[in-house]
Amino acid sequence: MEKCIICKKAQDTGIHLYTSFICAGCEQEIIQTDSDDPKYKYYVEQMRVIKETKIVT
Ligand SMILES: [Zn+2]
């Protein structure tokens, strides 16, 4: 089980982005969330952290 970076819960299904993990539920949420939705901004923020981590590594 890995910890999802969006919902912070341990999940067994999902996708890996670099060294981070997004669960299947959050992946669907991101896909379905409109870019005008404040939640979308949160998701983008979380994923930006992944990219920054990648650059540092
Ligand atoms: Zn999640």
Side-chain angles (χ1 to χ4, degrees), residues 24-47:
C26 289
E27 186 196 357
Q28 285 302 308
E29 278 280 316
I30 293 165
I31 293 164
Q32 288 165 16
T33 302
D34 195 277
S35 57
D36 295 334
D37 194 312
K39 271 199 298 183
Y40 189 85
K41 201 181 163 202
Y42 172 75
Y43 297 143
V44 171
E45 281 290 308
Q46 296 305 305
M47 288 187 281

Side-chain angles (χ1 to χ4, degrees), residues 4-9 11 22-26:
C4 171
I5 59 149
I6 307 288
C7 64
K8 318 282 189 196
K9 290 175 192 161
Q11 305 281 357
I22 295 175
C23 74
C26 289

